[in-house]
Amino acid sequence: MALEGEYATEKAGWVSDQLAKIDETGTTASVDVAGMAVVVFTYRGPKSGKLYRRPLMRVEHDGVYAAFASKGGAPENPVWYSALLANDEVEVQDGTTVVSGPVREIHGAERDEWWARGVAAYPPYAEYQEKTDRLIPVLLVEPGRA
């Protein structure tokens, strides 16, 4: 089921530019970060009720997508981290395909497994973890899981 409602205005110029290019071409394949693939997570803001779209690095395994709340190794989580967790269902656009599912934070061995996948997809995640004292959260969106 597609998320419906008013979209929030993106404040960051580079994010706005990426989203505009994706909208123009209809695919996330039209943008990248340093040559690496991105997907777009769409979620509802818990306070505003508006829809937000966030391009994030593409980390996918068996149809499940991961979001790494790295914020470049900053001491605090990105704003979207708690907003994603506040949603019952999140959409992910990968290329021209859009899937949706519940989101959950993972821990322990499951997180370790996904962390390795994330670093393989986007090596700077390892540097980001070294820059911060917090354990960078990993969230999964699992299409088809109720």
Side-chain angles (χ1 to χ4, degrees):
M1 181 173 100
L3 294 175
E4 295 180 359
E6 179 184 353
Y7 283 87
T9 303
E10 178 53 53
K11 295 179 179 114
W14 69 271
V15 173
S16 181
D17 292 346
Q18 280 194 332
L19 292 172
K21 184 72 170 177
I22 292 166
D23 291 344
E24 177 186 320
T25 61
T27 179
T28 59
S30 62
V31 300
D32 61 63
V33 173
M36 291 169 267
V38 301
V39 295
V40 175
F41 283 70
T42 302
Y43 57 93
R44 190 170 307 283
K47 293 179 184 171
S48 69
K50 293 182 181 179
L51 296 175
Y52 289 82
R53 297 189 310 157
R54 182 71 44 215
L56 299 173
M57 301 314 299
R58 183 186 187 278
V59 183
E60 179 272 342
H61 180 74
D62 290 340
V64 175
Y65 292 87
F68 292 73
S70 65
K71 198 176 181 182
E76 70 282 340
N77 292 324
V79 172
W80 58 258
Y81 162 76
S82 57
L84 271 181
L85 284 175
N87 280 258
D88 292 331
E89 189 156 320
V90 172
E91 287 182 355
V92 180
Q93 180 180 352
D94 183 2
T96 59
T97 301
V98 177
V99 297
S100 63
V103 62
R104 67 183 176 95
E105 186 169 353
I106 57 175
H107 306 277
E110 185 179 28
R111 184 202 174 275
D112 294 344
E113 186 177 339
W114 277 95
W115 182 258
R117 289 178 182 137
V119 170
Y122 187 65
Y125 283 144
E127 298 166 29
Y128 298 165
Q129 185 59 76
E130 290 176 11
K131 290 171 54 176
T132 185
D133 291 332
R134 68 185 172 90
L135 184 64
I136 293 174
V138 179
L139 309 176
L140 297 184
V141 174
E142 301 171 288
R145 183 176 175 167

